[in-house]
Amino acid sequence: MLDELLAPKYLGWLIEGFGVTLLLSALVSVAATVLGLGLCLARVAQSPLWSWPARAWLSVFRNTPLLVQLFFWYFGASALMPEKLLIWLNTPHVWDLKLFGVRWPSFEYIAGFFGLTLYTAAFIAEEFRSGVRGVPAGQIAAAQALGFTPLQVWLNVVMPQAFRISLPPLLGQYMNAVKNSSLTMAIGLAELSYASRQVETETFKTFQAFGIATTLYILTIIVIELAGQWLQRRKPAPGASH
Amino acid sequence: MDFSVVANNFSYFMLGAWPNGPLGGAALTLVLSVVSAIASGVLGLVFGVALAMTRGAAHSVLLMGLGFFRAIPVIMLIFWTYFLLPILFGIDVPGTGTVVVALSLIGGSYLAHSVHAGIASLPPGQWQAAAALGLSRGQALRLVILPQALPIMVPSFINQWVALIKDTSLAYVIGVGELSFVATQVSNREMVYPTEIFLFVALVYYVFCSTLELCANRVAKRFGTAAG
C-alpha cells in the first residue's frame, strides 16, 4: 500500500531521518536536563558570582533565535577553533566499545547537538526554578530546624518536590527539543524535516513526503504526552492527590 | 575580531536592498513580527473564546485542531503553507505571506489555550451575575468576562510574541530575505568573518526580544498593582 504512495527507497530516507531526529532529541534532552539543573542551581545561588553569569546565560540564550545560535556554532565557532581541533572533529574516529563500534558523528551533528543543548538547557533551568519556588519556604525552615545541612536540605527536601512540580513543563521542553531539532536541517543535518524536503524535491510527491514526516512528529509528541500522563499518575505532584 | 564586515554591510543588514529593491533585513524581521503578532493575537482570542464557549464534540474537534499546530515543528508548517496556499487560493503567494500565515496559526494555537485559561480562571459567579442582569452570553463575554480576563493574559501574549520574533528567523528556509537570511548571504559572500556576523545578528534579535520583555514586565507590574 505504501509502495504506491512512495518508493521504498524514499520511505527509507524518511525513516533514517526520523532516527536521527529521535536520537538527537533524546541526547539533547538528557544533556540539557543535567546542564539546566546546574544553571538553575547557579541562578538561585545566594552569591552574585554564581547568579549573575547564570542570569546572563538565560537572558542571552532565551532571547535569540535558535537558528542564529546554530549558525553561530556551525559557521562562527568553527572559524574561531584552532585548525588542529577542527581537523580532528571533522575526521571520523571509531570507538570500539566491545559490543559495537560508535561512529564519530559529523561536524553538523556535533554543532547541532551542542547548539540545541545550550538553548534547551536555558529553558529547562527556568522550569526547574519555578519548581524550586513551588516548594513552600516552611519546609526548608523545618528541615534546617531538624539539623539538616544545606546540601541535605537540597537533596532530600527541595529537589524531590521541585522535580515533581516541574515534570509537566519539563516534558513540554522535551517536546520542544523534538520540534526544534528540525532547525538543524539549516546546517545540513539529515534529520526528518531535511529528509522530507529531499524526498519532495526528488519525487514531487509533496503530500506523501510532508504528510509522513508530519505524522511521525505528531506520533512522537503523543508518545511523550502519554508517557507524561503515565508518570503523573504514578507520582502525582505534591498536593495533587489529596 | 574584526567588525568592519558588519559596518560595511550595515544598511544591508538593517534594510536589505531597500530603497533600490524589496525591504529586507532587520526591518523585514520587524514587519513579519508585528503582522504575525497581531494576526496570532486575533486568532488566539477567537479560538480561545470558542474553546470557552463550546462543549462536547465541537470542543474536542477544536482541541484536536489546535493540538495539531502545537505538535508540529514550525518548519514543517512553513513547508505545508508554502505548498498548500497557492493550491487553495489559486494565486502565487509571496514567501512573506506564507511565513505570516504559518507563524500566526502556531502563535494563535498557543494563545488560544492562554485565553481559555484566562476566561476559566474567573469565578463562575461572574457569568451567573451577568445572566441575572439579563445579559446574553455574548454580552456577558464582551462586557463582563473579557475586560477582567484580558489583563491576566498579558504575560502569556508577550511570551508568545517573543517566541514569534525568534521564529521569524525560520523564514530563512523558504528564502525570505529577513535578518537571518541576509546574514547567511553576507557570510557566504565574504567567507571570512562568520563569527562577527552571527554575533551581531544575535545582538539585534536580543535587542528586539529583550525590549519587548522589558515592556512586558512594566505592563505586568502596572496590572499587578491595579489588581491588588
Side-chain angles (χ1 to χ4, degrees):
Chain A
M1 161 70 176
L2 275 173
D3 278 355
E4 295 161 30
L5 295 174
L6 217 53
K9 175 187 163 196
Y10 300 115
L11 220 51
W13 287 10
L14 288 173
I15 301 294
E16 234 169 80
F18 185 46
V20 173
T21 291
L22 285 184
L23 182 65
L24 179 66
S25 27
L27 290 176
V28 164
S29 296
V30 173
T33 304
V34 176
L35 191 60
L37 189 61
L39 268 174
C40 165
L41 291 179
R43 175 67 181 80
V44 297
Q46 301 279 328
S47 156
L49 248 97
W50 286 104
S51 70
W52 278 96
R55 245 174 218 266
W57 174 310
L58 295 179
S59 171
V60 167
F61 281 86
R62 290 166 61 95
N63 281 328
T64 50
L66 175 60
L67 185 72
V68 174
Q69 292 182 26
L70 288 174
F71 282 151
F72 178 79
W73 299 120
Y74 186 65
F75 296 111
S78 61
L80 289 183
M81 272 186 228
E83 205 171 327
K84 271 192 180 157
L85 177 65
L86 202 63
I87 292 170
W88 187 79
L89 281 174
N90 271 310
T91 41
H93 309 267
V94 176
W95 293 330
D96 221 359
L97 297 177
K98 294 264 159 56
L99 288 173
F100 53 95
V102 176
R103 223 162 12 104
W104 185 252
S106 62
F107 186 63
E108 287 79 24
Y109 203 105
I110 300 173
F113 167 76
F114 195 70
L116 268 172
T117 301
L118 297 190
Y119 183 80
T120 309
F123 285 86
I124 287 183
E126 286 294 64
E127 307 295 7
F128 276 141
R129 193 160 71 98
S130 35
V132 168
R133 271 189 304 201
V135 179
Q139 300 225 357
I140 297 166
Q144 282 166 341
L146 287 170
F148 280 39
T149 65
L151 185 68
Q152 284 175 322
V153 173
W154 267 99
L155 289 181
N156 298 321
V157 180
V158 179
M159 300 268 268
Q161 299 188 68
F163 200 78
R164 264 182 282 168
I165 299 173
S166 38
L167 185 66
L170 202 57
L171 287 167
Q173 292 304 335
Y174 296 154
M175 294 180 192
N176 284 344
V178 173
K179 292 189 280 172
N180 285 338
S181 70
S182 64
L183 270 65
T184 56
M185 73 169 278
I187 56 169
L189 186 62
E191 45 67 67
L192 186 53
S193 304
Y194 186 94
S196 73
R197 179 84 165 250
Q198 288 281 90
V199 171
E200 194 255 348
T201 322
E202 289 237 344
T203 61
F204 296 108
K205 290 185 175 167
T206 315
F207 262 112
Q208 290 90 325
F210 291 170
I212 292 172
T214 303
T215 312
L216 289 174
Y217 277 116
I218 292 177
L219 282 179
T220 312
I221 299 297
I222 290 178
V223 167
I224 298 177
E225 175 82 41
L226 291 177
Q229 285 176 8
W230 180 74
L231 275 173
Q232 284 270 305
R233 263 203 303 276
R234 282 189 61 219
K235 284 191 165 195
S241 56
H242 304 288
Chain B
M1 288 277 160
D2 181 0
F3 281 94
S4 60
V5 64
V6 172
N8 293 341
N9 294 288
F10 191 75
S11 151
Y12 194 59
F13 277 124
M14 291 295 117
L15 301 170
W18 198 81
N20 303 319
L23 190 69
L28 185 58
T29 293
L30 276 186
V31 171
L32 285 174
S33 304
V34 171
V35 177
S36 320
I38 295 170
S40 69
V42 172
L43 281 179
L45 214 55
V46 169
F47 287 122
V49 167
L51 270 181
M53 307 289 265
T54 49
R55 302 271 175 279
H59 189 77
S60 306
V61 169
L62 200 57
L63 270 182
M64 263 167 58
L66 295 174
F68 171 80
F69 289 117
R70 285 150 51 100
I72 66 172
V74 183
I75 285 190
M76 281 314 297
L77 190 61
I78 292 180
F79 285 170
W80 275 118
T81 47
Y82 189 66
F83 164 64
L84 284 180
L85 281 184
I87 297 178
L88 283 177
F89 296 105
I91 46 160
D92 211 18
V93 180
T96 45
T98 305
V99 172
V100 166
V101 169
L103 291 183
S104 312
L105 284 173
I106 288 201
S109 310
Y110 278 95
L111 283 176
H113 283 269
S114 313
V115 170
H116 180 210
I119 293 175
S121 73
L122 294 178
Q126 295 284 332
W127 286 99
Q128 290 155 7
L133 287 170
L135 298 180
S136 69
R137 267 180 82 77
Q139 283 173 321
L141 182 79
R142 199 157 38 87
L143 301 171
V144 180
I145 302 297
L146 280 183
Q148 300 181 75
L150 280 176
I152 305 174
M153 304 167 196
V154 169
S156 347
F157 271 75
I158 304 287
N159 281 336
Q160 197 53 49
W161 286 339
V162 170
L164 205 92
I165 296 178
K166 295 193 289 172
D167 282 347
T168 58
S169 63
L170 299 179
Y172 163 88
V173 296
I174 53 166
V176 174
E178 44 67 61
L179 186 54
S180 307
F181 185 79
V182 159
T184 51
Q185 262 186 334
V186 174
S187 178
N188 289 340
R189 194 177 61 212
E190 305 273 339
M191 299 293 279
V192 269
Y193 305 113
T195 322
E196 288 85 343
I197 290 171
F198 290 113
L199 270 182
F200 169 72
V201 167
L203 177 76
V204 176
Y205 279 109
Y206 182 77
V207 169
F208 288 168
C209 294
S210 49
T211 308
L212 183 57
E213 210 179 27
L214 221 64
C215 297
N217 287 341
R218 291 183 101 170
V219 173
K221 234 175 230 160
R222 186 187 300 169
F223 278 122
T225 48

